Amino acid sequence: MTTAHPRPGGALRSETVRVLVTGGAGFIGSHVADLLAADGHEVVVLDALVPQAHGGEVPPWTRGHRFVHGDVRDVEVLRPLLSGIDAVCHQAAMVGHGVDPSDAPEYASHNDLGTAVLLAEMHRAGIGRLVLAGSMVVYGEGRYDCIEHATVRPGPRAPVDLDAGRFEPRCPACGRGLVPGLVPESAPADPRSTYAATKLAQEHLSAAWARQTGGAVWSLRYHNVYGSRMPFDTPYAGVASLFRSALERGEAPRVLEDGRQRRDFVHVTDVAAANLAALTAPVDGFVAANVCSGEPHTVGELATELAKAMAGPEPRVVGGARPGDVRHVVADPAFARERLGFRARVAFAEGMAAFATDPLRAPASLPRPAVIDR
């Protein structure tokens, strides 16, 4: 291969890049690894195979790559892997809202300590390009406008309002109803769950590393990703997977709140394409970009479309809300389109029809790490 050398603030110099994909056996990371390899890049996959996301065997889709079963926090595993690497796509993380606050140490360890160890070892190895799996959860509630007070930031919704079925945030100044809008990357961060706090910390660590080293970082703030290889039927999975699991059991999907909360559901193959673009796109220091479909839908629409695709029972709207849930988060896709040339290709109805039969994964306990060279 032709060796590629990182150039701070610019693109990698070679068309062929050797990439370490952390979390590369997982839902999103495996699609990233596959697309990078299909585009001609050399891929090394590192994955801890945590039981919240994986079954008891090495996933079959790793067979086309050099696969290392190990933890990004383990320097003895990580350091030799970084030798000869040109760039890192960092997908490894604990995801989801978790079960309760007792998950916090695990989230902080996997997401933040893991990122800190990776960045330190990248500096040691002279690697200057990072693509980080960011998240829209750093925004908290999305963008809202008040007829009197323009753009405002509503606080967390009160449990008494949620219990009474009052789900829409109100203006913190006058109490009026708000109009939700598109969230740009410049929106203030406002994490409202342990997971969200750790994802924001990953960005801060990466931004500090970029300033200190002259390195280049794209943080791709994924919105609600769905598609094949999602973990099946686990409290850490995304809402699309939970609805799919219920329908496979012959049960109606249970939709929280009133089902009108809005999200941007983006297909995993589009997310992989954004990672491919970010691998070589010019960037100065740290830059964040929304990765979304640009086609917002309600959670109720998601449940209805999936039930239709699976010929299952109609969704049940059950009210209530999970702790840390926000009402509306709909992204502005303009920056990623302009700077990365990224535009999502998979339409909502098309993606849901495919997701009805996409293979998912069941979590289970796992053996200790091993290395597989392909």
Side-chain angles (χ1 to χ4, degrees):
M1 84 175 256
T2 302
T3 301
H5 300 285
R7 183 173 58 201
L12 293 171
R13 292 177 182 169
S14 165
E15 292 184 359
T16 301
V17 178
R18 194 162 190 245
V19 187
L20 174 65
V21 182
T22 71
F27 165 39
I28 297 173
S30 65
H31 285 275
V32 172
D34 286 353
L35 184 59
L36 293 180
D39 198 58
H41 301 298
E42 293 190 24
V43 174
V44 178
V45 166
L46 173 66
D47 202 298
L49 299 178
V50 294
Q52 292 91 336
H54 290 275
E57 298 179 355
V58 176
W61 47 79
T62 64
R63 291 171 186 161
H65 313 295
R66 183 189 177 206
F67 172 71
V68 179
H69 181 179
D71 197 310
V72 72
R73 297 168 293 182
D74 187 340
V75 173
E76 292 185 1
V77 172
L78 183 62
R79 185 169 294 172
L81 288 183
L82 290 173
S83 177
I85 291 292
D86 303 308
V88 176
C89 284
H90 184 33
Q91 311 293 316
M94 276 190 70
V95 301
H97 280 287
V99 177
D100 59 46
S102 65
D103 283 330
E106 283 293 291
Y107 274 107
S109 182
H110 280 279
N111 298 357
D112 300 336
L113 176 60
T115 299
V117 171
L118 174 64
L119 293 169
E121 291 305 311
M122 286 177 64
H123 175 55
R124 183 186 185 93
I127 301 167
R129 167 69 59 140
L130 174 69
V131 181
L132 174 67
S135 176
M136 58 88 173
V137 295
V138 301
Y139 297 124
E141 282 287 353
R143 178 191 172 99
Y144 292 88
D145 291 305
C146 172
I147 193 172
E148 182 178 349
H149 297 97
T151 301
V152 297
R153 297 178 65 194
R157 296 176 294 170
V160 64
D161 287 335
L162 297 175
D163 291 343
R166 296 187 293 268
F167 301 116
E168 295 292 342
R170 295 195 166 272
C171 176
C174 66
R176 287 188 175 92
L178 299 171
V179 178
L182 300 180
V183 184
E185 289 82 358
S186 60
D190 187 18
R192 298 192 177 185
S193 69
T194 299
Y195 171 62
T198 64
K199 295 305 288 184
L200 182 58
Q202 282 186 314
E203 289 198 345
H204 287 322
L205 288 166
S206 300
W209 173 86
R211 286 192 296 271
Q212 292 169 332
T213 66
V217 181
W218 279 103
S219 179
L220 303 180
R221 291 176 176 170
Y222 303 157
H223 284 251
N224 290 70
V225 187
Y226 70 98
S228 64
R229 307 175 185 172
M230 287 186 82
F232 174 84
D233 202 17
T234 160
Y236 299 87
V239 66
S241 177
L242 297 178
F243 289 166
R244 157 86 181 262
S245 300
L247 287 162
E248 288 190 340
R249 296 192 299 267
E251 301 171 4
R254 291 168 51 87
V255 180
L256 298 181
E257 303 189 20
D258 57 3
R260 296 174 186 168
Q261 57 273 43
R262 296 168 74 239
R263 299 289 188 270
D264 188 303
F265 299 99
V266 58
H267 197 268
V268 68
T269 57
D270 284 324
V271 173
N275 276 267
L276 177 61
L279 184 65
T280 54
V283 58
D284 292 319
F286 174 92
V287 177
N290 288 325
V291 173
C292 60
S293 71
E295 184 186 353
H297 289 274
T298 67
V299 173
E301 287 171 334
L302 168 69
T304 298
E305 195 70 28
L306 193 55
K308 182 173 68 174
M310 297 180 67
E314 293 186 1
R316 289 179 50 225
V317 178
V318 298
R322 294 187 304 176
D325 265 359
V326 296
R327 180 62 172 172
H328 304 295
V329 186
V330 177
D332 187 340
F335 183 76
R337 189 163 55 237
E338 175 188 345
R339 290 288 303 275
L340 288 175
F342 168 74
R343 187 188 300 268
R345 302 297 181 188
V346 180
F348 181 71
E350 173 192 353
M352 284 300 126
F355 185 62
T357 56
D358 278 337
L360 304 184
R361 293 170 294 131
S365 352
L366 294 161
R368 291 298 300 162
V371 177
I372 300 175
D373 286 301
R374 301 293 183 187

